[in-house]
Amino acid sequence: MNIKNFLKISLGAAVLGVAQISCIHDDKWDAPEIVCNNKFAAPTMSMADVVALAPAAASNVYTGAVYKIPAEDATHPAVIFDGYVVSSDENGNFYKTITFQDKPENPTVGLTIGLNKSMNYTDYPIGAHIRIKANGMLIGKSAGAITIGVEDPNYAIGRIPESIIGRYVSGVCNGAGLEIATLVPREINLFDLNDSNSNLINTLVKVKNAQFTKTEIGKPLVGVDISGNNIDTSRNIIDIYGGTSIIRTDAFFKPAAYPIPDKSGEITFVLTRFNATYQGAIRGISDINFKSDRFEEGIVGGTSLTYSGAFTENFEGYAVDNYNFPKYLNYAHVGNRYWQVKSFSSNKYIQLTANGGAANTPYTNYFMVPVNFTAANTLTFKVNVGFYNGAALKVYTTTNYTPGNSITTATLNDITSNFTIPTTPTSGYGTLTSAGTYSLPTSLTGNGFIVFKYEGNSSGITTTYQLDDITVN
């Protein structure tokens, strides 16, 4: 083509372009119609019913037992169920997986599925309504969590190859594109994480009044090895009721250098489990919302504090070795020893000792009982000692302690001398006996606490104390 012909063609294209543009009189373009069709038919089962297909295991550790959902045929109908995505690999966690739950709010069950591709958040963002056609897939328990996937010669449950993901997973349309729901995390307390609520695994949860433990402050969220390379990292968190867990981040999580804040607040994460350990996986730094001052660590219980002027606590309603008392505060101010429920001759009580601790280890604990002092008149309790080698128990009242704060911020009024506390036997144990009755002064009013303080040392005073029938009238 010579230059003259080229110019003619170019000029003609330009004129055509001007003519096309001139047809638009008001500078507005009509939006193209978006056609959105659901790939799979309506659900035939709930996610909970599908999860129930996973073989039962004797423990939460992976057993290798899986169930293969039959292929769809004349005998076996389609197995189709819906879910809502709660994970995101945008910031490096949830490598080649998506985690989803059965409802945007108050879910009853969650699942993880492996997809052998990266950047899954672009296809299935947080809140995406997805539909799974599970015929031919495998489902089972892996390291304590129910997982669904496909056959793989190298794994009990494999990831779906990228080329056939659409055979099993698809988004759900709302008429104008992928339906994306607003997720409402379920609020939990870390102390309540146990087998009884394992249905929360793979769902989105939130913990209020939480913080990273003081040993984590200032460290990067993602740790490094001796060569300076990022590594998969677990960081410890604690809530105001003394429950603990870990936040688990992948070596590729970003920003890896995010410093652990010296603050408290709320944290949102996908609850996961590795064998017997519950852990959280955040989607990004925005899941950590710590802006408040830190609270005191070592306080367990207190989820149901009630200030009453008349009650008796005999500890019969608690299991042996329990140390979490919703109605009271069990506060290990120094060391990590707590008052625990024990039983002897079919009678339950609480007990604490410094005996058996690491050499020269101090222990200071406050068992704090809420009281309405305006309505209360007297205090009595039973006490017993074992292997007495020094006084380690004191009793106080306080009316200015705020739960969650350090005990050092409160004024403690010592009333120990009003009770008879045994100093024998020096070997073996005595018997639980009334310490006497103390008349609370009329000037003592308002809400506050009766405080039983134990202070000992594994290399010093190790006397064992038992308390029972704490009664306020």
Side-chain angles (χ1 to χ4, degrees), residues 356-380:
N360 199 34
T361 301
Y363 298 101
T364 302
N365 180 288
Y366 299 85
F367 190 80
M368 308 183 71
V369 180
V371 176
N372 178 347
F373 287 116
T374 301
N377 295 309
T378 61
L379 166 67
T380 185

Side-chain angles (χ1 to χ4, degrees), residues 255-372:
Y258 171 81
I260 301 296
D262 188 14
K263 292 288 184 178
S264 70
E266 61 183 37
I267 183 169
T268 302
F269 53 82
V270 176
L271 183 64
T272 64
R273 182 167 181 163
F274 183 74
N275 295 334
T277 302
Y278 283 91
Q279 54 192 25
I282 58 176
R283 288 83 53 86
I285 294 303
S286 61
D287 279 341
I288 303 173
N289 185 22
F290 290 171
K291 298 178 181 178
S292 302
D293 292 338
R294 291 178 62 84
F295 52 82
E296 181 76 350
E297 294 182 21
I299 303 174
V300 174
T303 55
S304 300
L305 294 178
T306 300
Y307 298 85
S308 174
F311 61 88
T312 295
E313 179 55 75
N314 58 19
F315 301 103
E316 295 299 326
Y318 297 97
V320 171
D321 294 331
N322 173 74
Y323 65 101
N324 179 26
F325 302 91
K327 296 189 294 184
Y328 314 115
L329 300 176
N330 199 358
Y331 180 2
H333 181 58
V334 178
N336 58 357
R337 293 280 174 98
Y338 292 90
W339 290 92
Q340 286 184 278
V341 175
K342 300 296 179 181
S343 179
F344 180 74
S345 295
S346 300
N347 178 63
K348 292 181 179 178
Y349 49 87
I350 56 172
Q351 176 175 298
L352 183 57
T353 182
N355 184 51
N360 199 34
T361 301
Y363 298 101
T364 302
N365 180 288
Y366 299 85
F367 190 80
M368 308 183 71
V369 180
V371 176
N372 178 347

Side-chain angles (χ1 to χ4, degrees), residues 9-338:
I9 294 172
S10 300
L11 180 59
V15 171
L16 178 61
V18 171
Q20 289 177 331
I21 293 173
S22 67
C23 292
I24 302 171
H25 300 291
D26 55 4
D27 295 328
K28 292 182 180 179
W29 293 84
D30 290 332
E33 181 181 357
I34 297 176
V35 178
C36 180
N37 297 313
N38 288 322
K39 181 172 184 178
F40 302 133
T44 61
M45 296 180 68
S46 69
M47 187 192 298
D49 289 336
V50 175
V51 168
L53 297 175
S59 70
N60 282 300
V61 179
Y62 170 66
T63 62
V66 297
Y67 172 75
K68 183 174 182 178
I69 300 171
E72 183 183 6
D73 56 29
T75 306
H76 303 99
V79 175
I80 302 172
F81 66 98
D82 281 5
Y84 294 85
V85 175
V86 296
S87 64
S88 172
D89 60 354
E90 182 175 8
N91 292 297
N93 272 355
F94 304 96
Y95 177 69
K96 291 189 175 181
T97 63
I98 58 173
T99 301
F100 53 101
Q101 60 191 36
D102 62 342
K103 295 185 292 184
E105 185 174 0
N106 295 319
T108 63
V109 69
L111 272 174
T112 289
I113 187 170
L115 306 179
N116 200 18
K117 67 180 290 289
S118 301
M119 298 180 68
N120 288 303
Y121 76 95
T122 59
D123 295 319
Y124 307 110
I126 294 172
H129 186 182
I130 63 172
R131 187 160 289 167
I132 309 293
K133 186 170 184 180
N135 295 92
M137 300 185 75
L138 303 177
I139 188 169
K141 185 170 287 187
S142 178
I146 303 296
T147 302
I148 189 168
V150 296
E151 291 182 296
D152 187 308
N154 299 312
Y155 301 97
I157 301 177
R159 295 189 178 102
I160 302 174
E162 183 174 2
S163 60
I164 59 171
I165 290 175
R167 183 183 300 176
Y168 301 99
V169 186
S170 178
V172 176
C173 300
N174 63 4
L178 177 65
E179 179 179 327
I180 299 178
T182 299
L183 303 176
V184 180
R186 178 174 292 182
E187 293 183 14
I188 66 168
N189 296 323
L190 295 177
F191 213 104
D192 294 332
L193 292 179
N194 53 52
D195 289 346
S196 66
N197 51 31
S198 60
N199 64 305
L200 295 178
I201 296 173
N202 291 330
T203 69
L204 190 65
V205 301
K206 176 186 290 186
V207 180
K208 291 186 173 182
N209 297 313
Q211 63 193 23
F212 288 94
T213 57
K214 55 189 174 185
T215 57
E216 305 283 15
I217 296 172
K219 295 179 180 178
L221 188 60
V222 178
V224 296
D225 60 19
I226 57 175
S227 299
N229 299 312
N230 291 345
I231 56 175
D232 295 351
T233 305
S234 296
R235 296 298 187 199
N236 297 296
I237 60 172
I238 187 170
D239 67 17
I240 199 168
Y241 305 116
T244 59
S245 187
I246 62 174
I247 296 299
R248 182 74 174 172
T249 49
D250 189 276
F252 296 100
F253 183 83
K254 52 187 179 182
Y258 171 81
I260 301 296
D262 188 14
K263 292 288 184 178
S264 70
E266 61 183 37
I267 183 169
T268 302
F269 53 82
V270 176
L271 183 64
T272 64
R273 182 167 181 163
F274 183 74
N275 295 334
T277 302
Y278 283 91
Q279 54 192 25
I282 58 176
R283 288 83 53 86
I285 294 303
S286 61
D287 279 341
I288 303 173
N289 185 22
F290 290 171
K291 298 178 181 178
S292 302
D293 292 338
R294 291 178 62 84
F295 52 82
E296 181 76 350
E297 294 182 21
I299 303 174
V300 174
T303 55
S304 300
L305 294 178
T306 300
Y307 298 85
S308 174
F311 61 88
T312 295
E313 179 55 75
N314 58 19
F315 301 103
E316 295 299 326
Y318 297 97
V320 171
D321 294 331
N322 173 74
Y323 65 101
N324 179 26
F325 302 91
K327 296 189 294 184
Y328 314 115
L329 300 176
N330 199 358
Y331 180 2
H333 181 58
V334 178
N336 58 357
R337 293 280 174 98
Y338 292 90

